[in-house]
Amino acid sequence: NRRRKIPGTTIRFFNMAIIEMARYLGAGFYSVIYCINNRIAAIHDITLMRKFFFDCKVLLQEGGSLILQLPNYLVYSEEPVCKLPENQSIRAKLCAKIFTSPSGEKTLLQQIETSNGKLVSVVDHEAIVTIKPEEIRELAKEAGFKNVEFFSNYNMESFNPETSQNILCVLS
């Protein structure tokens, strides 16, 4: 809202379910689409995941980019409970765990720990898909993205599939 008050600023932010984007937003209009903090995991079905990639490609203008930020699931164990790296600020900490059932289904628990130690659930055992770099590459290619780059963080440090805890993926 502060940036909108500056004359000539054309930044607009939308907060919506990512699988509903194409229904409400204009095709070929956006230069960047961000899906950060592992929100892509909320797409709990591979068919819906495929739709997400196609929708993003349709919504982006020529030369536009889709930016995904998620954990590198290649470095996390397939144990029944897997703790993901914490995101922390001065006031709060975002904690996340992935639970794997005996049948292989995965659910996500995300909680915010406030400065006074109180835990507030953000995502409470929702079904997820733990998408990995090669799957991202395949879905991006199917949807028509020509370039897929992987980084470890927002400093654009190189991505190592065996050691990087996070993935920052830029598709264009």
Side-chain angles (χ1 to χ4, degrees):
N1 283 338
R2 278 187 266 145
R3 291 181 187 224
R4 271 197 284 194
K5 294 177 184 175
I6 301 170
T9 303
T10 59
I11 296 174
R12 293 191 304 165
F13 293 91
F14 298 95
N15 184 10
M16 66 178 62
I18 53 182
I19 60 171
E20 294 180 349
M21 293 184 312
R23 193 159 115 192
Y24 296 108
L25 304 176
F29 183 77
Y30 299 91
S31 52
V32 178
I33 297 173
Y34 293 95
C35 186
I36 58 176
N37 293 328
N38 195 29
R39 291 312 306 154
I40 195 169
I43 304 172
H44 53 70
D45 178 84
I46 197 65
T47 303
L48 292 175
M49 186 73 71
R50 186 171 282 112
K51 178 188 179 320
F52 166 75
F53 279 84
F54 276 96
D55 287 352
C56 287
K57 184 63 177 155
V58 167
L59 292 171
L60 288 167
Q61 58 189 233
E62 190 65 35
S65 297
L66 169 61
I67 301 188
L68 306 173
Q69 186 258 329
L70 63 153
N72 176 15
Y73 294 114
L74 294 171
V75 299
Y76 297 103
S77 69
E78 292 292 319
E79 296 294 318
V81 179
C82 172
K83 185 176 179 182
L84 298 177
E86 296 174 343
N87 290 332
Q88 192 167 342
S89 74
I90 295 170
R91 294 185 190 101
K93 181 176 15 175
L94 178 65
C95 308
K97 293 180 184 175
I98 296 176
F99 295 83
T100 306
S101 72
S103 65
E105 294 174 345
K106 297 184 182 309
T107 59
L108 176 67
L109 172 66
Q110 277 186 327
Q111 296 175 310
I112 292 179
E113 183 180 333
T114 62
S115 58
N116 65 4
K118 182 179 177 184
L119 286 176
V120 179
S121 287
V122 178
V123 176
D124 194 2
H125 293 282
E126 289 183 19
I128 62 168
V129 170
T130 53
I131 190 167
K132 296 172 179 74
E134 280 311 307
E135 295 166 316
I136 293 172
R137 195 177 302 281
E138 287 174 29
L139 291 168
K141 183 179 177 184
E142 264 182 50
F145 288 96
K146 293 179 177 35
N147 190 28
V148 180
E149 297 177 277
F150 295 102
F151 302 97
S152 289
N153 54 39
Y154 289 107
N155 293 330
M156 310 305 247
E157 293 175 11
S158 60
F159 174 73
N160 182 329
E162 296 169 6
T163 60
S164 297
Q165 287 190 331
N166 293 298
I167 298 172
L168 179 69
C169 183
V170 180
L171 293 79
S172 54

